Structure formats: structure tokens, C-alpha cells
């Protein structure tokens, strides 16, 4: 059975968290002086070497490019390189919204059908009470009801895109990080 301690010893980023959480790797723009830039380059080389030797590199890279818009250095890539890979792959990944975890309630898009459902469930309810239930403004509820009365379509259903394959992510990685090689099972062209 694999324990958290065992896993931490296997993963270079967990074992070297001081390196991977170094501000010079998190935000490359913080390196201002020549000495800081040299230090940053040394840190990047060390982190890159650790990432390229990690048994979870492929999974980490795939998740960092396709599923999560993580900050800093991850899976042998910088945030800028991962963004370039997403451009090549034709995908967009929204940044993580940590406001919800902190208890903040940022303005969000209200579901048109939910506004109509609440109105149908209790036609005598005030529009203000519907707005409170949805956590939106009164004007938002009124806008959705006006659109429904006029028969306007509110947004088209989103087409679910098929996520790029692992092979496509690796190809984008190779294109962006020219000269770097990552191993992939069944991939002789590495």
C-alpha cells in the first residue's frame, strides 16, 4: 500500500516544495537583476531536471495543460509555455476560481431556465425573492423574464469539445519546448 509519505518521496515536486514554490519560479517577472535572473535560470534547470525524471510527468503535464490553469512551474513547463500549448491545441482552460473557497460570492451568470422554473413554481412570489434565491440582482431576473416574454433565445447550448489526446499534448509540448524530450509509453519517436 502506498502512503502519502511514500508518494511524497517519489514525487520531486513534493519532496522539493521549497524549489517549486520559489517566487522566481512562480512569477518569472520578479527576477529584476542579473543575479536574480541567473538564480532563476539555475532554479529552472533544477526543476526541469526533476520534472523530466518524474514517473508522473505525462499525467501532470496533461492535467496542467487540459484540466487546470495552474500557476508557476509545473510538469517541466512555465505558465507561458502551457498557455502556448493550449493555443496550439485550440483549447481554453479557465483559471481556478478560489473565491468560492474563501466564501466570496462573485457575480456569476444566472441560468435562464432556472429563473423561469422558479417563476413557474410560484407565480405569486415577488421577483425580489426569486433574485434572492438565485443570488442575483432584481434587474437580472427582470431581464430574463422580459426575454422569455419576447421569445428570445438565451444563449446556445454549449457544444462539449473532445479533449485533446495525450499524444496531442505531447506533440504540443515538443513544439513549444524544442529540444526537450519526455518519455511516453509506446512512443518510439521520443
Amino acid at each position: 500500500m502506498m502512503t502519502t509519505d511514500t508518494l511524497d518521496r517519489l514525487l520531486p515536486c513534493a519532496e522539493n516544495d521549497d524549489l517549486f514554490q520559489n517566487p522566481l519560479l512562480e512569477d518569472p517577472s520578479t527576477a529584476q537583476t542579473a543575479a536574480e535572473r541567473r538564480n532563476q535560470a539555475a532554479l529552472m534547470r533544477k526543476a526541469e531536471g526533476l520534472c523530466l525524471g518524474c514517473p508522473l510527468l505525462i499525467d501532470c503535464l496533461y492535467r496542467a495543460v487540459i484540466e487546470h490553469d495552474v500557476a508557476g512551474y509545473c510538469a517541466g513547463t512555465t505558465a507561458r509555455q502551457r498557455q502556448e500549448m493550449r493555443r496550439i491545441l485550440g483549447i481554453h482552460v479557465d483559471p481556478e476560481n478560489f473565491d468560492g473557497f474563501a466564501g466570496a460570492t462573485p457575480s456569476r451568470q444566472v441560468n435562464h431556465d432556472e429563473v423561469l422554473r422558479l417563476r413557474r413554481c410560484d407565480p405569486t412570489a415577488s421577483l425580489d425573492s426569486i433574485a434572492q434565491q438565485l443570488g442575483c440582482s432584481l434587474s437580472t431576473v427582470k431581464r430574463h423574464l422580459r426575454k422569455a416574454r419576447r421569445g428570445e433565445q438565451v444563449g446556445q447550448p454549449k457544444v462539449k469539445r473532445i479533449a485533446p489526446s495525450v499524444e496531442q499534448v505531447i506533440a504540443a509540448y515538443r513544439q513549444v519546448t524544442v529540444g526537450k524530450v519526455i518519455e511516453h509509453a509506446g512512443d518510439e519517436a521520443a
Side-chain angles (χ1 to χ4, degrees), residues 127-162:
L127 298 183
D128 192 43
S129 69
I130 293 173
Q132 287 177 356
Q133 285 179 313
L134 293 170
C136 65
S137 68
L138 176 61
S139 63
T140 298
V141 171
K142 288 180 179 179
R143 183 179 71 246
H144 283 280
L145 293 175
R146 275 194 306 271
K147 286 182 178 186
R149 277 194 304 272
R150 291 191 299 244
E152 293 179 19
Q153 295 292 326
V154 178
Q156 298 297 323
K158 290 188 178 179
V159 176
K160 184 162 174 89
R161 284 185 47 107
I162 296 174

Side-chain angles (χ1 to χ4, degrees), residues 91-117:
I91 62 169
H92 173 78
V93 176
D94 289 326
E96 295 294 329
N97 179 3
F98 294 111
D99 289 340
F101 295 122
T105 54
S107 61
R108 61 175 178 78
Q109 196 129 34
V110 173
N111 184 311
H112 178 74
D113 294 330
E114 185 65 9
V115 173
L116 300 181
R117 186 191 69 75

Side-chain angles (χ1 to χ4, degrees), residues 116-130:
L116 300 181
R117 186 191 69 75
L118 288 173
R119 187 61 172 167
R120 280 191 305 271
C121 285
D122 187 1
T124 60
S126 70
L127 298 183
D128 192 43
S129 69
I130 293 173

Side-chain angles (χ1 to χ4, degrees), residues 42-120:
L43 291 171
M44 289 273 234
R45 282 191 301 275
K46 184 174 181 181
E48 177 183 70
L50 291 170
C51 281
L52 293 177
C54 179
L56 297 179
L57 174 62
I58 301 294
D59 185 55
C60 187
L61 177 66
Y62 187 84
R63 290 173 186 269
V65 172
I66 304 300
E67 296 176 5
H68 307 285
D69 187 12
V70 297
Y73 197 84
C74 180
T77 60
T78 64
R80 181 175 286 146
Q81 288 170 324
R82 290 187 300 278
Q83 188 59 39
E84 178 65 13
M85 291 168 66
R86 289 184 193 109
R87 188 193 63 70
I88 291 167
L89 295 166
I91 62 169
H92 173 78
V93 176
D94 289 326
E96 295 294 329
N97 179 3
F98 294 111
D99 289 340
F101 295 122
T105 54
S107 61
R108 61 175 178 78
Q109 196 129 34
V110 173
N111 184 311
H112 178 74
D113 294 330
E114 185 65 9
V115 173
L116 300 181
R117 186 191 69 75
L118 288 173
R119 187 61 172 167
R120 280 191 305 271

Side-chain angles (χ1 to χ4, degrees), residues 28 47 165:
S165 68

